[in-house]
Amino acid sequence: METQRLSRPNGKFIANKTERRRSIMFVRYADDFVVMNRDLNVIQECKGIISKFLAERGLELNDAKTKIVHTRIPFENNKPGFEFLGFKIKHFDTKRRSVKNSQGYNIGFRLLIFPSKDSRKKHFARIDHVLCQHKTGN
């Protein structure tokens, strides 16, 4: 998996933590990718740019797999969070053990990354298959 290093138009990399939080995050692995930003307008503009980029190469985004979601609240009839490479990424509201802001106060939610339902089903099916093969073994 590769996380693109963010740079300004002048070619210098963004090193400031505040600037990185405002910038676009792009994570890709093979032909899968995720674009993250706090601003919905930026995400929608990125989707248009990516569609145009792919169209120039004779490719297109799969509408069934392409969606805009929020990691904590439902958005446009989509449940919170998203699946990427067999993992579910989602924020959970919690009072205890939540992330703290720069002043040290709990912000009320925490990010959890765990195997998706499909990945768990496949994993348990493999375990079941192995156990069934070795039923007669001691």
Side-chain angles (χ1 to χ4, degrees):
M1 183 169 27
E2 180 179 337
T3 302
Q4 301 293 104
R5 287 192 65 190
L6 300 169
S7 61
R8 296 183 186 97
N10 64 7
K12 292 185 178 180
F13 289 108
I14 297 173
N16 184 340
K17 191 175 189 179
T18 306
E19 280 186 60
R20 277 197 315 267
R21 286 184 178 158
R22 289 189 203 125
S23 62
I24 299 167
M25 294 298 300
F26 183 79
V27 180
R28 69 183 171 101
Y29 180 82
D31 63 341
D32 296 327
F33 62 90
V34 176
V35 179
M36 295 175 278
N37 191 278
R38 292 175 178 231
D39 188 3
L40 176 61
N41 296 326
V42 172
I43 295 295
Q44 291 171 335
E45 188 176 333
C46 286
K47 185 178 177 183
I49 291 168
I50 291 167
S51 294
K52 183 180 174 185
F53 175 83
L54 292 173
E56 291 171 357
R57 287 146 181 81
L59 302 169
E60 61 184 29
L61 289 173
N62 184 340
D63 289 335
K65 293 182 179 180
T66 304
K67 58 185 176 179
I68 297 175
V69 297
H70 194 282
T71 56
R72 195 166 58 92
I73 56 176
F75 178 75
E76 292 183 354
N77 298 325
N78 291 318
K79 292 182 180 179
F82 60 94
E83 290 187 15
F84 184 61
L85 302 177
F87 289 91
K88 177 83 173 180
I89 295 131
K90 181 180 176 182
H91 277 107
F92 285 93
D93 292 327
T94 179
K95 296 291 181 196
R96 296 178 8 172
R97 298 184 181 217
S98 75
V99 178
K100 294 184 175 164
N101 64 10
S102 58
Q103 286 81 33
Y105 297 110
N106 287 342
I107 59 175
F109 59 87
R110 103 183 262 136
L111 177 70
L112 292 180
I113 302 171
F114 51 91
S116 66
K117 271 187 181 177
D118 291 338
S119 294
R120 289 187 303 236
K121 281 182 184 178
K122 287 178 187 175
H123 181 70
F124 293 138
R126 274 188 247 136
I127 291 172
D128 189 43
H129 177 72
V130 169
L131 291 176
C132 286
Q133 282 182 333
H134 299 289
K135 269 186 179 176
T136 59
N138 289 331

